[in-house]
Amino acid sequence: MQAALEQIHAVVDDLGPRLLSESNIADEHDLRARADNVTRDFRSMFGILNTNIAGQYAFAGSRTDSAPLGNFDMMLTELTATVAGAATTADIVSRIDAWFDAPGGAGGFSDTIYQGSDNGSTRLSVSPDRQIDSKLTANSLELRDTLKGMAIIAYASEAGTAIDAATLRELFAEAGTRLSKGSTGLIRARADLGQQQAVVTQAQARNSAETTALSVARTNMTGADPFETATALEETEAKIQSLYALTARLSRLNLTDYLS
C-alpha cells in the first residue's frame, strides 16, 4: 500500500501545481493534449489502486477477494451522465464533487465504481499480542480530492470541443486546486501507513527473536551436546582400535608361535 501511494503521490504532487500554472499560460491545443495525458495517468492510477498481493486486494477494505475499483471506461460514462446539462464550470465541478461524495445508496462513486467494502474488520495479527487495522480504501477521504481532480480533467478530455477554451482553463484550475489538496491527503495516508509499518517491523523483530529462542530450546531438549558427543566418539574410536589390535593378535596365534 505504501509503494502504491508513493507512485500516486509522485504524479499528484507534480501535476497539481502544473495544472494551476498551465491554466493561465498554455494555449487551447496544449491544454487539450494535456487533458488526454492526465486521463491516461488516471487510468494508470485505477490500476495502482487495484493492486493485489497474493490474491488480496490492498485497497478493497474488508472485501479483499475482488478489485476495489470497477471499469475505468464505465466511470467516464458515469461522469459524463452526471455532468450532462451543466452549463458552467462551477456546475460541472459541483456535480463531480457531489458524485464522489455521495453516500452509499445515492448512486454515486461508492455505488457504481467502488466495489470494495468499508464495513467489516480489516484487522491483521502480526504477533501474538499485536494487531494492525488499516481503514484506508480506494473510497477513503484521503484519496477523494485526488480522484476528483483527476476526474475533472478526464471529463474535460471526454467532452472535447464541447467545452470552450475559457471553461477548459477554469476546469484545469479547479483540478489543480483539488490535486494540491489531494497531495496533503496522500501525505496523511502515507504517514498513517508508516506508523503501521513500524508496528509490523517491531513485530517481525520480536517474532524472529522468539523463533531463534524456540529453536535453541528445541535443540537443547532434543539435540545432543556437541562436547559430550565428541568425547563419546573419541572413546568409542579408542575402544574400536583396541578391539582391532586384540583381534589382529588373536588371529595370528598358532602352536608354533605359542611354543616360540
Side-chain angles (χ1 to χ4, degrees):
M1 293 177 79
Q2 190 71 272
L5 290 187
E6 182 178 4
Q7 294 182 61
I8 295 174
H9 192 204
V11 173
V12 171
D13 202 37
D14 172 72
L15 190 58
R18 182 175 295 185
L19 293 183
L20 286 170
S21 63
E22 288 178 347
S23 66
N24 295 318
I25 62 176
D27 62 34
E28 181 181 352
H29 179 270
D30 289 341
L31 289 179
R32 296 193 186 280
R34 166 64 75 180
D36 293 339
N37 290 335
V38 172
T39 301
R40 285 193 286 271
D41 288 338
F42 195 14
R43 186 184 295 273
S44 297
M45 192 177 294
F46 255 53
I48 293 172
L49 290 174
N50 281 337
T51 292
N52 81 85
I53 304 297
Q56 302 291 303
Y57 288 89
F59 293 93
S62 59
R63 190 179 296 165
T64 59
D65 59 344
S66 61
L69 296 179
N71 185 274
F72 181 79
D73 294 318
M74 180 184 296
M75 187 203 67
L76 293 182
T77 299
E78 291 288 339
L79 276 177
T80 301
T82 297
V83 179
T88 65
T89 299
D91 196 9
I92 292 172
V93 172
S94 176
R95 293 191 185 189
I96 291 176
D97 285 344
W99 186 72
F100 274 100
D101 292 335
F109 173 79
S110 63
D111 290 327
T112 58
I113 302 301
Y114 179 61
Q115 299 176 353
S117 175
D118 295 336
N119 301 315
S121 176
T122 57
R123 184 167 296 173
L124 298 173
S125 294
V126 294
S127 72
D129 60 345
R130 298 299 299 271
Q131 295 178 323
I132 58 172
D133 190 8
S134 176
K135 295 295 186 181
L136 183 68
T137 72
N139 192 41
S140 292
L141 289 173
E142 291 87 346
L143 296 174
R144 200 73 57 80
D145 285 322
T146 293
L147 295 176
K148 289 176 183 177
M150 300 297 284
I152 290 171
I153 299 299
Y155 167 74
S157 176
E158 283 291 293
T161 55
I163 296 177
D164 59 43
T167 302
L168 184 62
R169 292 184 186 280
E170 292 171 353
L171 290 176
F172 262 65
E174 290 287 349
T177 299
R178 279 159 180 74
L179 289 176
S180 295
K181 289 175 59 180
S183 181
T184 302
L186 290 171
I187 291 173
R188 185 169 60 252
R190 294 183 65 189
D192 291 341
L193 284 176
Q195 292 178 347
Q196 294 174 356
Q197 281 181 280
V199 173
V200 172
T201 300
Q202 292 171 359
Q204 285 177 322
R206 290 181 57 189
N207 292 345
S208 178
E210 289 180 5
T211 299
T212 301
L214 290 173
S215 178
V216 170
R218 181 179 184 276
T219 300
N220 290 338
M221 294 174 63
T222 63
D225 181 86
F227 178 77
E228 292 180 356
T229 303
T231 302
L233 182 61
E234 290 178 357
E235 291 177 355
T236 303
E237 184 179 8
K239 290 178 180 178
I240 291 174
Q241 289 176 347
S242 298
L243 181 61
Y244 175 78
L246 179 61
T247 302
R249 289 183 61 186
L250 289 174
S251 65
R252 291 197 301 272
L253 286 181
N254 54 51
L255 180 59
T256 303
D257 291 337
Y258 177 76
L259 292 176
S260 64

